[in-house]
Amino acid sequence: ALDPMEMYAEIEVLQELLQQSESEREALLKQLIARNKLLESLALTDELTGLPNRRAMEQALPQMLPHSAAQEKSVYSDYICLFAIDVDFFKRVNDTYGHPTGDGVLREIAARLQRQTRGNSWFYRYGGEEFICLTVGIGPETAWEYGEELREAIASEPFKTAEGVEIPLTISIGGAIAPLSGITAQGVKIGQDPQALLEFADRALYQAKGEGRNRVQFCPYSEILCKFDPNPLDAQ
């Protein structure tokens, strides 16, 4: 004959084991989720500077722009500005002082740029000594002023090495500004086409470097409109 009390005791033990097993599975699941989030974060973060990397920019841009434009209440809410930023004579720094010093320079530049972050601006390390700044909600005049702020933030003081050596720092900036809506090419809004903006900003960057570096150069707004609409005045 079965003793009911013993049966109840065995059931309680089994329930405890089952609960413990579920608890262990839940703990393991949480660890896996945390690990996956960490791996995803590392995959989208530049290890040297801590900035989001190129992959992060390419993934975030399609979702980021409509949300940012909707949140911005200024009269320029339908504009996006992309800055391509290149460190001047960076190879010379590496060749003269070594790559560890060059790494320190990149970290310092990233930190100075981040201190100039605005409400609707994001910085990325695009690769090597090149950075990208995306800014939503500013018009052409404000974009130029912001570009100058970024340039001055780097040129205002030299980088000091651990040995006390001062290394002058400057950057060249190429800018491209476009409407988030209104001008389309094959159904794609220019403001939501990062490749087009990068091409215009890169063109301006090379011009800035060719004209002496340590300067801000914008791709003419009229060129952007004409490329995406043969009758830009009709599109306004």
Side-chain angles (χ1 to χ4, degrees), residues 21-231:
S21 178
E22 292 178 350
S23 176
E24 289 175 351
R25 288 199 298 269
E26 184 177 352
L28 179 60
L29 179 60
K30 289 181 179 180
Q31 291 178 6
L32 290 174
I33 292 174
R35 182 179 179 183
N36 288 338
K37 287 183 178 180
L38 176 61
L39 291 174
E40 182 179 357
S41 175
L42 292 174
L44 300 177
T45 302
D46 175 59
E47 184 178 357
L48 178 64
T49 64
L51 291 176
N53 59 21
R54 176 175 180 171
R55 181 182 176 188
M57 185 193 77
E58 292 173 347
Q59 288 189 9
L61 189 57
Q63 293 83 21
M64 181 175 64
L65 294 181
H67 174 75
S68 300
Q71 294 297 317
E72 179 60 44
K73 301 302 183 182
S74 74
V75 295
Y76 295 123
S77 62
D78 58 342
Y79 283 95
I80 176 176
C81 178
L82 188 150
F83 293 109
I85 304 168
D86 191 82
V87 183
D88 295 330
F89 303 113
F90 182 70
K91 185 178 184 299
R92 183 183 302 174
V93 174
N94 277 336
D95 293 344
T96 303
Y97 303 100
H99 288 278
T101 298
D103 289 347
V105 166
L106 292 177
R107 284 192 292 266
E108 176 66 17
I109 287 177
R112 294 187 192 182
L113 291 175
Q114 282 186 297
R115 287 196 287 269
Q116 303 301 316
T117 301
R118 296 191 174 196
N120 278 343
S121 64
W122 299 266
F123 287 96
Y124 302 84
R125 186 185 178 194
Y126 199 63
E129 65 270 28
E130 187 171 357
F131 299 83
I132 295 292
C133 176
L134 285 170
T135 305
V136 176
I138 59 176
E141 286 188 17
T142 308
W144 181 276
E145 294 172 358
Y146 189 32
E148 280 295 323
E149 288 178 12
L150 298 178
R151 185 193 64 79
E152 292 175 2
I154 305 303
S156 60
E157 59 180 298
F159 173 79
K160 294 182 180 180
T161 68
E163 295 76 21
V165 178
E166 294 188 350
I167 304 175
L169 298 179
T170 61
I171 56 175
S172 298
I173 300 177
I177 188 167
L180 283 169
S181 60
I183 308 300
T184 63
Q186 299 179 344
V188 179
K189 295 179 180 179
I190 179 175
Q192 296 180 21
D193 184 354
Q195 189 58 44
L197 287 175
L198 281 168
E199 290 175 2
F200 284 116
D202 274 337
R203 186 189 308 174
L205 173 62
Y206 282 113
Q207 185 176 351
K209 294 172 75 70
E211 294 182 2
R213 295 180 170 83
N214 189 26
R215 60 186 296 121
V216 179
Q217 181 68 45
F218 268 83
C219 181
Y221 186 59
S222 58
E223 289 187 20
I224 298 177
L225 296 185
C226 288
K227 177 178 176 62
F228 280 81
D229 195 302
N231 300 301

